[in-house]
Amino acid sequence: QVQLVESGGGLVQAGGSLRLSCAAPGRTLRGRAVAWFRQAPGKEREFVAAISWSGTNTYYADSVKGRFTISRDNAEKTQYLQMNSLKPEDTAVYYCATRMVVYSDPPNPKDPSQYDYWGQGTQVTVSS
């Protein structure tokens, strides 16, 4: 079992920035593919960004490409989602997720069913 904890959400004006963090208390995320998803009220959970287990490959939803950046720290303890040029439509609860299998990437990094462990989410609200 891998517990994930997100942080860094909050209220920001349109055009502003936030950096979300995802950590697994007491352990590293070394060797794990990690993804960020979000869910707005009344909408389905949607893919935002993902990073391969090696950190070599990153993937983004078209709606955030060029504005959001997924990364990890050198110790591979924390994953980050840097969000710039935020828009009101980015308002949602943001979740990070990872897989049970290590040193392996999901066949489709954008598919939430490929991930086994989820955090509790952090609220991001962008005002216009």
Side-chain angles (χ1 to χ4, degrees):
Q1 189 75 13
V2 177
Q3 180 187 9
L4 297 175
V5 179
E6 302 98 336
S7 60
L11 173 64
V12 64
Q13 289 188 332
S17 298
L18 284 173
R19 189 176 77 162
L20 305 184
S21 299
C22 173
R27 64 195 303 163
T28 73
L29 292 172
R30 183 173 295 116
R32 295 187 182 275
V34 174
W36 288 89
F37 293 81
R38 66 186 181 187
Q39 188 167 19
K43 295 187 177 181
E44 292 188 354
R45 189 168 298 190
E46 66 171 354
F47 169 77
V48 177
I51 189 167
S52 62
W53 73 264
S54 64
T56 302
N57 299 311
T58 56
Y59 310 87
Y60 296 95
D62 289 342
S63 59
V64 308
K65 202 171 293 183
R67 300 188 297 123
F68 291 11
T69 303
I70 189 171
S71 64
R72 59 181 55 169
D73 67 355
N74 290 334
E76 298 186 89
K77 290 185 176 181
T78 305
Q79 299 277 344
Y80 300 104
L81 184 68
Q82 178 68 42
M83 306 187 297
N84 300 327
S85 302
L86 283 161
K87 305 175 181 180
E89 50 264 43
D90 294 318
T91 295
V93 177
Y94 284 71
Y95 301 89
C96 67
T98 192
R99 308 178 79 214
M100 182 184 304
V101 178
V102 295
Y103 301 106
S104 173
D105 290 321
N108 180 1
K110 301 180 181 181
D111 180 359
S113 71
Q114 302 289 312
Y115 299 90
D116 305 295
Y117 305 117
W118 294 78
Q120 81 290 347
T122 185
Q123 176 70 47
V124 171
T125 303
V126 184
S127 63
S128 57

